Amino acid sequence: MRILILNGPNLNLLGRREPEIYGSQSFEDYFEELKKRFSEHELEYFQTNHEGALIDKLHEVGFSYDGVVFNPGAYTHTSIALRDAIAGIESPVFEVHISNLAEREDFRQVSYVKDVCVGSINGMGLEGYAVAVERLSSH
């Protein structure tokens, strides 16, 4: 399977940003572990802090990849445009969040993308990405 791991804003700071919430490992280091763990799949990674670039990437891969594991970051709670991009593509998208959103601020309680994704997981730390890959593999 060809799966894109897509990370949104501020996730480039993993390992340095609020380690008490997001942990101390960089995503790049974790992604190397993920590729070894799922060597039977072709995993790719893309991160950007720009909403339009996330939409462009979804459009680029959304008709040819077998799935997308997507952590939209704070755009989860604000972007109808990302929701529409996910709804407009054929590749299944699985929503992931590192922290437990239910234990976070009130404004983080709404996900605009959840209803157009094939699944959603949060609060498992980086391991949530592995769970999402496994679920996409059996989707």
Side-chain angles (χ1 to χ4, degrees), residues 8-126:
N10 300 310
L11 292 165
N12 57 305
L13 297 177
L14 285 176
R16 297 183 292 168
R17 171 188 174 215
E18 300 176 279
E20 67 281 1
I21 296 173
Y22 300 105
S24 59
Q25 186 175 26
S26 75
F27 194 83
E28 289 75 10
D29 289 344
Y30 177 72
F31 183 63
E32 291 306 314
E33 293 175 18
L34 205 60
K35 287 193 302 186
K36 289 177 187 170
R37 186 169 169 183
F38 295 99
S39 59
E40 71 277 15
H41 300 306
E42 183 181 340
L43 299 182
E44 296 178 29
Y45 173 57
F46 182 80
Q47 186 280 327
T48 182
N49 294 316
H50 305 281
E51 183 179 22
L54 291 168
I55 292 168
D56 289 343
K57 188 56 116 173
L58 287 165
H59 291 175
E60 176 188 326
V61 306
F63 297 92
S64 58
Y65 281 50
D66 298 303
V68 177
V69 173
F70 188 22
N71 184 340
Y75 288 137
T76 303
H77 321 291
T78 64
S79 181
I80 295 168
L82 281 174
R83 183 212 178 279
D84 291 348
I86 294 168
I89 63 175
E90 294 175 358
S91 299
V93 177
F94 201 100
E95 176 188 21
V96 172
H97 297 283
I98 297 166
S99 66
N100 184 345
L101 299 180
E103 296 176 354
R104 303 286 306 273
E105 303 90 345
D106 288 344
F107 64 85
R108 295 189 199 273
Q109 302 307 307
V110 174
S111 170
Y112 283 108
V113 302
K114 187 174 185 174
D115 69 321
V116 292
C117 291
V118 297
S120 181
I121 193 160
N122 70 82
M124 291 189 67
L126 293 175

